[in-house]
Amino acid sequence: MPSRITTELILGGQKSGKSRRAELLARDWLASAPDHRAVLIATGQPWDDEMRERIARHQSDRAVRVPGLATLEVPGDVAAALADASNPHTLVVVDCLTLWLTHWTMPLGIETMNSEQKTALVQDWQSQCAMFLVAIGQAPGPVVLVGNEIGLGVIPMGREVRAFVDALGLLNQQVAAVCPRVTLMAAGLPLTLKEPTP
């Protein structure tokens, strides 16, 4: 773990250890001072039985590993939730950026939307993303952001999937630009991509 906890973007593939790293940072933050608090902003939504089981499993595992970590379920307006939760004594974990992007760019029912509705959705996402980047930069306490790196495989076949991979890559770049520390996880091991300047 870093010697000083600061705002950090943690990227990685599925089961790379990225959420575990975020939890360990929250645990260390809570242990470092009696007035410290930690809040998880969870962006996942239980849209099917498997996802409901996955969320329940994550909740029970987190309760054991980091019992002091409070949870807010916020699939949409993460910018406002981050601004509300952040203070100098609170570490905020956002897990994960990929599911948050999914909420905005591929919501349930998108296949029945007309072109005007889809255009409005894109504009809403761009506004939300801009507010989110500002909220990260203005947060008075540390923020730990978890996201997937999915652009390392083959180019997807479908236009919508290619657009999503592009959008996530752009989001990761934008968030990395405002975070002092960026870490890539692979096989449970951290690779530092960016460190705070002294």
Side-chain angles (χ1 to χ4, degrees):
M1 289 295 106
S3 57
R4 180 176 160 271
I5 296 174
T6 185
T7 293
E8 177 174 350
L9 171 62
I10 304 170
L11 294 172
Q14 196 78 359
K15 293 298 178 187
S16 61
K18 56 192 183 298
S19 292
R20 179 67 60 90
R21 178 179 173 84
E23 291 174 2
L24 292 175
L25 288 169
R27 187 194 65 190
D28 291 350
W29 173 262
L30 289 167
S32 65
D35 64 340
H36 279 182
R37 302 289 176 263
V39 175
L40 168 70
I41 297 175
T43 63
Q45 298 179 82
W47 55 73
D48 59 29
D49 289 341
E50 188 276 335
M51 193 62 177
R52 276 187 283 277
E53 291 172 10
R54 181 180 291 262
I55 289 172
R57 187 170 61 251
H58 282 236
Q59 290 170 338
S60 62
D61 290 349
R62 275 197 309 268
V64 172
R65 290 193 294 259
V66 194
L69 181 61
T71 301
L72 301 173
E73 295 183 9
V74 184
D77 196 352
V78 175
L82 173 56
D84 289 344
S86 185
N87 66 66
H89 302 288
T90 300
L91 179 144
V92 179
V93 176
V94 178
D95 194 352
C96 80
L97 299 181
T98 312
L99 291 175
W100 176 54
L101 176 64
T102 302
H103 168 83
W104 281 98
T105 60
M106 294 191 298
L108 292 176
I110 191 170
E111 62 278 354
T112 63
M113 290 182 180
N114 61 37
S115 59
E116 289 180 2
Q117 291 171 316
K118 289 180 180 178
T119 298
L121 189 65
V122 169
Q123 292 171 342
D124 288 346
W125 160 247
Q126 291 170 342
S127 175
Q128 174 68 206
C129 184
M131 290 187 294
F132 181 61
L133 296 171
V134 170
I136 296 169
Q138 293 181 346
V143 182
V144 176
L145 305 125
V146 178
N148 290 83
E149 176 49 73
I150 64 172
L152 299 175
V154 297
I155 297 172
M157 293 291 288
R159 181 169 59 95
E160 292 82 6
V161 179
R162 286 195 298 272
F164 180 82
V165 172
D166 288 348
L168 182 60
L170 179 59
L171 175 62
N172 288 343
Q173 288 186 50
Q174 292 172 316
V175 174
V178 298
C179 288
R181 178 176 285 123
V182 180
T183 303
L184 178 66
M185 297 297 298
L189 301 173
L191 174 65
T192 300
L193 303 181
K194 180 182 178 182
E195 283 277 23
T197 53

